[in-house]
Amino acid sequence: MVRLVLVLGDQLTDRIAALGQADPARDIVVMAEVGAETAYAPHHPKKIAYTFAAMRKFAAALREQGWRVAYARLDDADNTQSIPGELIRRAAETGATEVIATEPGDWRLWSGLRDCPVPVRMVEDTRFVASHADFNAWASGKRALRMEYFYREMRRKTGLLMEGDDPVGGQWNFDADNRGRARPGMVFAPPLRFTPDPVTQEVLDLVAARFAGNFGTLTPFWFATDATQAQAQLDHWLVFGLPGFGAVQDAMLAGEAFLNHAVIGLYLNSGLLDPLDVCHRAQDAYRAGRAPLAAVEGFIRQIIGWREYIRGIHFHAGPGYARQNALGHTRALPAVYWGGPTRMACMAAVVAQTRDEAYAHHIQRLMVTGNFALLAGVDPAQVHDWYLGVYADAHEWVEAPNVIGMSQFADGGLVASKPYVASGAYIHRMSDHCGTCSYKVAQKTGPGACPFNLLYWDFVARHAERFRNNPRMAQIVRGWERMDPARQGVIRADAADILARLDAGGVI
Ligand code: FAD
Ligand code: DLZ
Ligand code: SF4
């Protein structure tokens, strides 16, 4: 009896678990561009184009390997526009009575497959170092799930940067060496830019016609759209970007979107690159003396540490996670996130870059747009929807723990031991934005004061009770409470003015 093998738009590798359970002589691969997947978040046009182009090219590669692929294009007349709908349609066409699917990294689709009238056998996604069982065993009985300890387990499990039972270089984490500032004039390693091939160009025409209203610029489009191109980007970055990766990992420079970041998140998350292969390549560069240990350790930690940990949290926390709101924040996402005018140079730069590239690096996401949303008390569900839509690498399993947990503290501290809030001083230290801003980063109150300064103390004041006993926040709360009451009053009044202007749709 024929079976259907579902391959989703972020499962584009022939090592995907469902294919491993299937038989090319007997089974039919189902792939589908569907309205439901383009509409569950306000996807950036570049993200949709990347997904469809990579899907079409992967389907062609599977056919060359001998698989039969039933592929639905978005504009096909008989397309049902949902993944379960396509499974039902293909089952009716072929007489299949079973679907094999690699579990999706999204609870919405996970439920859709569980409830599909055609029985779906979901198999675990094996593209990760830690299985669900591994993560659950590690998490079991722990009150706090901190990444650093999980990361050490992953180092031991993979043997990456290990000498026997000990970490290479005598320490697990070289983060202290990875907090440098970027300076204008430094030379970086921007990602390779791929000219769209005919398949990609056809998709670009489709996306231009169908998604013109979505936030984000479609062209120039330069992402890799197949495994060979993604590998070329990795090769390029290992030579030119990795040696300087750590040093400016947390830095921001106007006009430099990528600095020395790898720009591979979208390829890892879609299956075009394999995370362990990538780590082994980075380790090889260290062993061959082509990259310093601090950079290589910092990079490997992002992948087998943060990425694996975040994925573990997604499955461990369960379907309700993305709707948590521990701080009770309710403000609507301000228009500046959709490109509305702003006088804040840092916010303008990160949002414009996001609009143009469907990319921002970690500190831009965490300490500029994330920090502002948290300080302003924006509803975390709206923040989550924004991040899920606008970044090419965003899928719920990785986006939600980063946004709901790490950035918005909406899970009450499961992921982060303290909220990632900072005043303008942090952004000033790590970027060159403040020099061109119409606000003054050194000014604490008054009309010219940096909004991050005002909202920072307002946040601390609003949440003083909650954080008074948090070891990492207690001193800050005390700092607020010791402040002269008259000064407190001015700060709160100025912050209230900013928040009222945000609510009224005014320009901040
Ligand atoms: P690099 O800085 O070069 O890092 C290398 C790789 O490490 C990344 O490609 C990624 O695979 C991994 N990595 C690093 N940090 C993390 C992390 N915190 N979680 C998971 N993987 C990590 N990453 C996503 O892949 N998708 C998202 O939707 C996403 N949303 C985020 C939202 C917020 C608020 C924050 C603070 C971070 C988010 N991240 C997300 C993590 C990180 O910002 C991106 O992985 C990174 O910016 C991708 O760019 P890069 O490939 O150049 O990464
Ligand atoms: C991101 C995305 C988009 C925009 N479109 C599709 C699609 O049409 N078909 C598909 O199979 N996958 C798409 N994806 C990726 C999915 O959203 C992703 O597989 C699920 O959210 C599970 O993580
Ligand atoms: Fe951003 Fe404040 Fe600096 Fe302006 S002064 S760029 S708002 S941190």
Side-chain angles (χ1 to χ4, degrees):
M1 178 69 82
V2 62
R3 298 172 302 184
L4 302 179
V5 186
L6 177 65
V7 175
L8 293 167
D10 58 354
Q11 299 178 342
L12 306 179
T13 165
D14 47 21
R15 297 190 226 173
I16 199 73
L19 284 177
Q21 309 244 332
D23 175 2
R26 165 184 164 195
D27 301 324
I28 297 177
V29 175
V30 174
M31 296 181 68
E33 301 166 7
V34 292
E37 295 305 303
T38 62
Y40 68 79
H43 292 302
H44 195 295
K46 274 193 169 79
K47 178 182 183 184
I48 301 174
Y50 163 67
T51 306
F52 287 3
M55 285 174 69
R56 290 183 186 191
K57 290 171 80 172
F58 184 65
L62 285 180
R63 287 192 182 111
E64 272 176 33
Q65 289 175 27
W67 291 94
R68 287 183 291 166
V69 182
Y71 191 98
R73 291 178 170 222
L74 191 70
D75 282 344
D76 286 351
D78 45 3
N79 187 330
T80 59
Q81 302 298 347
S82 81
I83 297 292
E86 284 305 279
L87 293 173
I88 296 166
R89 176 166 80 95
R90 298 303 188 184
E93 276 172 15
T94 59
T97 54
E98 188 193 11
V99 178
I100 309 172
T102 311
E103 66 192 356
D106 174 321
W107 289 115
R108 168 194 57 86
L109 197 49
W110 190 92
S111 311
L113 294 182
R114 184 200 53 197
D115 300 339
C116 182
V118 189
V120 177
R121 179 155 62 87
M122 269 197 261
V123 295
E124 185 165 346
D125 193 337
T126 50
R127 288 177 290 170
F128 295 88
V129 176
S131 65
H132 297 324
D134 289 340
F135 190 87
N136 290 338
W138 173 76
S140 166
K142 290 191 173 64
R143 271 184 62 240
L145 303 179
R146 296 290 167 247
M147 195 287 296
E148 185 61 31
Y149 299 104
F150 173 77
Y151 166 55
R152 294 178 191 182
E153 295 283 311
M154 295 299 99
R155 289 274 292 277
R156 290 191 187 96
K157 180 167 184 191
T158 59
L160 283 160
L161 296 181
M162 294 296 289
E163 270 164 356
D165 292 337
D166 299 319
V168 169
Q171 55 192 84
W172 293 99
N173 183 318
F174 289 82
D175 216 16
D177 299 346
N178 289 343
R179 296 209 176 108
R181 294 187 60 170
R183 307 263 172 213
M186 282 173 101
V187 178
F188 302 109
L192 292 181
R193 301 173 84 87
F194 299 91
T195 305
D197 51 34
V199 173
T200 307
Q201 191 54 56
E202 195 180 358
V203 166
L204 289 174
D205 294 341
L206 169 77
V207 173
R210 292 286 302 272
F211 301 98
N214 288 25
F215 172 76
T217 45
L218 178 60
T219 55
F221 181 91
W222 51 266
F223 292 155
T225 47
D226 59 42
T228 307
Q229 292 179 342
Q231 199 65 47
Q233 163 57 17
L234 175 66
D235 294 345
H236 160 82
W237 180 79
L238 286 167
V239 174
F240 298 106
L242 176 61
F245 170 73
V248 291
Q249 200 179 325
D250 287 0
M252 298 176 276
L253 269 189
E256 288 286 349
F258 309 106
L259 301 157
N260 282 330
H261 289 275
V263 197
I264 57 168
L266 72 172
Y267 309 138
L268 285 167
N269 297 348
S270 302
L272 303 190
L273 289 177
D274 177 77
L276 262 187
D277 285 353
V278 167
C279 291
H280 281 287
R281 296 287 310 282
Q283 177 175 258
D284 292 347
Y286 164 66
R287 292 216 170 119
R290 294 193 300 268
L293 180 57
V296 175
E297 186 283 315
F299 177 69
I300 287 178
R301 174 160 26 90
Q302 303 309 311
I303 297 192
I304 63 166
W306 279 111
R307 187 171 184 273
E308 292 285 332
Y309 164 82
I310 285 289
R311 190 258 184 171
I313 293 283
H314 169 79
F315 281 97
H316 188 74
Y321 185 79
R323 294 292 169 239
Q324 292 195 42
N325 189 357
L327 299 182
H329 285 168
T330 54
R331 178 156 284 105
L333 189 75
V336 54
Y337 285 81
W338 303 112
T342 178
R343 295 168 55 219
M344 291 183 286
C346 55
M347 285 289 284
V350 176
V351 171
Q353 180 194 308
T354 300
R355 179 197 63 213
D356 293 344
E357 307 289 5
Y359 177 87
H361 69 67
H362 189 76
I363 292 299
Q364 293 176 309
R365 297 186 208 200
L366 188 65
M367 299 313 292
V368 180
T369 42
N371 186 17
F372 188 77
L374 178 56
L375 291 177
V378 177
D379 174 5
Q382 295 189 36
V383 183
H384 160 70
D385 285 345
W386 185 79
Y387 277 94
L388 189 55
V390 301
Y391 292 114
D393 56 27
H395 299 277
E396 187 188 78
W397 69 266
V398 56
E399 176 275 336
N402 270 303
V403 172
I404 294 293
M406 193 186 316
S407 167
Q408 300 301 299
F409 206 79
D411 64 3
L414 181 68
V415 166
S417 53
K418 74 180 248 311
Y420 277 96
V421 283
S423 68
Y426 175 86
I427 295 172
H428 182 46
R429 189 163 67 248
M430 299 312 297
S431 81
D432 62 352
H433 293 308
C434 301
T436 60
C437 188
S438 40
Y439 293 105
K440 300 238 172 326
V441 71
Q443 196 175 323
K444 308 286 192 251
T445 54
C450 166
F452 283 93
N453 294 345
L454 292 164
L455 294 177
Y456 176 79
W457 284 121
D458 194 58
F459 175 92
V460 174
R462 276 184 277 131
H463 295 295
E465 276 317 308
R466 170 178 281 271
F467 293 120
R468 191 183 310 285
N469 297 322
N470 177 315
R472 299 187 65 200
M473 287 294 284
Q475 203 180 342
I476 295 167
V477 172
R478 275 199 298 277
W480 166 255
E481 288 173 343
R482 284 193 197 127
M483 203 182 278
D484 168 38
R487 187 168 175 72
Q488 283 183 341
V490 173
I491 289 174
R492 296 222 62 185
D494 286 355
D497 177 53
I498 289 182
L499 296 175
R501 276 192 285 145
L502 273 183
D503 290 342
V507 175
I508 301 300

